[in-house]
Amino acid sequence: MVEKPSRRDQILNAAAELFARHGFHGVGIDDIGAAVGISGPALYRHFRSKDAMLGEMLTSISERLLDGGQARVDAASNADEALRELIGWHVDFALDDPALITVQMRNLANLTDPDRRRVRALQRRYVEVWVETIRRTVPEFDEPTARAAAHAVFGLINSTPHSAHLDRDQMAALLSRMALASLTPAVVTS
C-alpha cells in the first residue's frame, strides 16, 4: 500500500510546483496554502517562513541525490555498473521530479546563507561521488576532466524539465544512453 504523503510533504510538493512555474518571489504563502487546501497562515504551523520551506526543499533534494547516488555506487559490483547505476539514478530523479530540478537550478541564490552553505556542501559531496566513479570507469580522465564531465552530464540530464517530446521511458533510455556515451573513452576525443 502506498503511504499518503504527510501534510508537510504535501506542502513542499505544492511549493516546488509553484516555485518552478512562477519563481520563488512570484509565489506567496497564500498561493501555497491554496494549493494544499489550507489558509496561507496555517502553513506557519509547518514552516516558520517561505524561506524555511525553500531551505528544507533544497536541502532535502541534495541529501536525497547524495544518499541515493552513494547507495547505488556502493551496491555496484564494478565501476562500469556503478556509473550506469549513478546515471540511471540521476535520470530517474530528473524525470520523476522535474519541478525540484527546476527549483534547485533557479533558486539557490534565494536561500539563507546557512541553508545555501549546507546545500552547496551536499552538492559538492554528490559531485565527488560522480568524480570518483567516472575516474574508476575512465582512468585516463584526470580529476578536472572527470569533474567537468560530471557537470556536463548534469546539464544534459537536468535539461529534461524543458523537454517533453518523448514518453518517460523513452526519455530515460535516451538520456541514459547519451550520458553513458559522453563518458565513454571511445567517444571522447582529445
Side-chain angles (χ1 to χ4, degrees):
M1 181 173 179
V2 176
E3 192 174 313
K4 183 179 176 186
S6 70
R7 176 58 90 182
R8 194 172 177 83
D9 288 338
Q10 290 172 354
I11 293 167
L12 286 173
N13 291 338
E17 291 293 331
L18 290 168
F19 293 164
R21 198 171 315 130
H22 305 290
F24 178 72
H25 295 297
V27 176
I29 289 292
D30 290 333
D31 300 321
I32 299 166
V36 294
I38 62 177
S39 71
L43 291 177
Y44 293 117
R45 286 192 294 250
H46 303 279
F47 296 94
R48 69 182 184 279
S49 66
K50 189 171 82 164
D51 291 335
M53 213 178 293
L54 180 64
E56 184 170 326
M57 185 185 303
L58 293 186
T59 299
S60 174
I61 294 166
S62 300
E63 288 171 342
R64 197 165 119 207
L65 282 168
L66 174 60
D67 293 346
Q70 188 65 62
R72 281 153 181 81
V73 168
D74 292 346
S77 60
N78 60 55
D80 290 341
E81 180 185 347
L83 184 60
R84 283 192 307 277
E85 289 294 320
L86 200 52
I87 290 169
W89 164 243
H90 200 97
V91 165
D92 286 343
F93 182 87
L95 291 175
D96 294 340
D97 293 304
L100 293 176
I101 292 291
T102 301
V103 171
Q104 185 179 37
M105 288 173 20
R106 292 182 185 164
N107 291 289
L108 193 61
N110 293 319
L111 290 173
T112 63
D113 286 338
D115 285 338
R116 187 172 30 257
R117 283 192 296 274
R118 172 109 173 102
V119 168
R120 281 293 198 201
L122 289 163
Q123 288 175 337
R124 282 191 296 274
R125 288 175 53 203
Y126 183 58
V127 169
E128 290 312 310
V129 171
W130 277 79
V131 169
E132 291 169 16
T133 303
I134 291 169
R135 292 198 67 206
R136 282 188 9 238
T137 308
V138 190
E140 56 269 31
F141 278 10
D142 60 13
E143 184 182 338
T145 303
R147 188 172 310 286
H151 284 285
V153 168
F154 295 158
L156 167 71
I157 296 170
N158 290 345
S159 70
T160 59
H162 310 293
S163 61
H165 304 292
L166 301 173
D167 73 28
R168 193 239 182 258
D169 291 341
Q170 291 172 320
M171 193 65 177
L174 177 65
L175 287 170
S176 294
R177 280 193 314 271
M178 290 175 70
L180 190 59
S182 73
L183 297 170
T184 303
V187 175
V188 178
T189 59
S190 301

